[in-house]
Amino acid sequence: DGVRYARKDKVKLFVNKLTSTHTQIPYDYYSLPYCHPHIHEESENLGERLSGDRIENSLYKLEMKIPQACEIVCKKSYNKAQAAQFVEAIDQEYRAHWIVDNLPVSTVVINELTPDEPY
């Protein structure tokens, strides 16, 4: 039996890693200077560790069946070196991996050459 959620039940969003198709190097999600809570790792198995997974808590708050637009999680100032870390990650097309209810969160990617075809 799976978990049954009622309206407004809290659902945890965990962060995992950052990966890019341009490099073979996964990074810990919080290796970039994101705002973060007191970080604690969720239990993982050896296979997750070997594949570079590092599942950690996040500041994001989700409630079941509650439509919610973007919200500000925190405000933070960055110095030039920190901003350059984000620029490099964007240039290398790193993607964040999130997990909700033990399922990976996906991202829709549009192929610029054929935007009408699924990617």
Side-chain angles (χ1 to χ4, degrees), residues 57-118:
N57 58 320
S58 75
L59 291 172
Y60 301 102
K61 307 289 183 212
L62 304 177
E63 293 179 313
M64 185 55 69
K65 297 184 180 181
I66 302 295
Q68 187 172 336
C70 295
E71 280 192 19
I72 296 172
V73 174
C74 72
K75 292 184 180 186
K76 185 174 180 179
S77 297
Y78 296 102
N79 61 36
K80 286 183 181 184
Q82 291 171 319
Q85 285 181 278
F86 282 109
V87 169
E88 183 177 347
I90 291 166
D91 287 347
Q92 291 291 319
E93 296 184 18
Y94 271 88
R95 301 284 187 252
H97 293 250
W98 290 353
I99 299 169
V100 175
D101 194 28
N102 218 24
L103 294 170
V105 175
S106 64
T107 304
V108 175
V109 178
I110 305 298
N111 183 338
E112 295 175 8
L113 298 175
T114 54
D116 294 335
E117 293 181 20

Side-chain angles (χ1 to χ4, degrees), residues 7-26:
R7 183 175 159 76
K8 291 193 172 188
D9 279 354
K10 305 288 186 222
V11 182
K12 292 182 180 180
L13 185 150
F14 296 101
V15 298
N16 186 356
K17 60 187 171 185
L18 304 168
T19 60
S20 169
T21 58
H22 297 288
T23 73
Q24 297 299 312
I25 304 168

